[in-house]
């Protein structure tokens, strides 16, 4: 696996791409614990046991798909819309004061933009939650395009969100790198012909061994990229 080293030009790391697509939660932001807090509260209120597998499933399916899965898997009677609204309210309240980008992430994004590399965000998160971070974190200033899961209607088990993000920045998969922290997203992006970089995320049961095997590149920390 390739890793960032001091003798590689920072804005070309890893070599071979002209466009870049980024996941948000976990990959760029230290928000996995916030969503775990939301999940634990949601399941606790309904007397349902919470596990790391549940967290990973919800991260993959996104809001609508996750809500439908919760209804089917656990017999939750709330409507999909009501579940999504509840998650959005709790998530937005936490993001407003607690969300933060991972060390070195914004620096790397701005370095790429400074070199004219078009950037897109592909996230299962909701626009309402992302907006709650402003003015502390202005996501719309860091990317040329933002695609949320509800816009494509499919989970990250399918490459649709990455393909739509690429379309919006005029990119073709073979010259575009996708930065992800979940296995399903990394697999689907790779299956669609994208270059893939798996980003190490502490906790949340991240399957690091499987990610290393699937991804073209492994990144332990944004601070490993010398700028």
């Amino acid at each position: 696996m390739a890793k960032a080293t001091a003798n590689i030009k920072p804005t070309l790391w890893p070599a071979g791409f002209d466009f870049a697509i980024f996941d948000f939660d976990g990959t760029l932001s230290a928000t996995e614990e916030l969503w775990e807090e939301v999940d634990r509260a949601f399941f606790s209120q309904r007397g349902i046991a919470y596990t790391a597998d549940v967290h990973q499933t919800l991260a993959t399916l996104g809001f609508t798909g996750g809500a439908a899965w919760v209804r089917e898997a656990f017999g939750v009677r709330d409507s999909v819309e009501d579940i999504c609204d509840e998650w959005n309210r709790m998530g937005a309240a936490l993001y407003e004061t607690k969300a933060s980008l991972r060390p070195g992430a914004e620096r790397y994004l701005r370095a790429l933009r400074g070199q004219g590399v078009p950037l897109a965000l592909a996230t299962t998160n909701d626009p309402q939650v992302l907006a709650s971070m402003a003015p502390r974190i202005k996501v719309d200033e860091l990317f040329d395009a933002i695609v949320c899961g509800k816009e494509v209607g499919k989970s990250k088990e399918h490459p649709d969100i990455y393909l739509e993000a690429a379309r919006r920045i005029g990119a073709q998969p073979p010259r575009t790198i996708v930065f992800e922290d979940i296995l399903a997203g990394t697999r689907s992006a790779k299956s669609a012909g994208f270059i893939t970089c798996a980003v190490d995320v502490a906790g949340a049961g991240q399957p690091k061994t499987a990610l290393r095997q699937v991804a073209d590149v492994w990144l332990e920390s944004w601070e490993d990229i010398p700028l």
Side-chain angles (χ1 to χ4, degrees), residues 29-146:
S29 65
T31 51
E32 284 293 290
E33 292 182 358
L34 300 186
W35 283 115
E36 184 173 342
E37 186 175 337
V38 168
D39 292 343
R40 287 185 181 279
F42 177 86
F43 284 98
S44 176
Q45 291 168 6
R46 292 160 176 80
I48 301 171
Y50 173 83
T51 67
D53 288 341
V54 168
H55 181 82
Q56 285 293 311
T57 299
L58 293 176
T60 300
L61 295 176
F63 284 80
T64 302
W69 175 74
V70 165
R71 281 172 49 83
E72 181 178 350
F74 301 103
V76 173
R77 295 185 177 182
D78 306 71
S79 70
V80 168
E81 182 178 7
D82 286 343
I83 292 173
C84 290
D85 286 344
E86 183 174 345
W87 285 342
N88 283 333
R89 286 195 302 272
M90 291 192 291
L94 292 172
Y95 270 56
E96 186 175 356
T97 58
K98 295 184 178 181
S100 63
L101 297 180
R102 294 192 177 281
E106 183 172 352
R107 184 180 61 162
Y108 182 59
L109 293 173
R110 293 193 181 281
L112 291 178
R113 294 202 74 180
Q115 292 296 315
V117 177
L119 307 181
L121 187 68
T123 175
T124 56
N125 213 325
D126 189 88
Q128 172 189 339
V129 178
L130 294 178
S132 71
M133 296 184 293
R136 293 187 309 108
I137 303 174
K138 297 182 178 180
V139 178
D140 57 344
E141 293 183 0
L142 297 174
F143 298 94
D144 301 290
I146 297 175

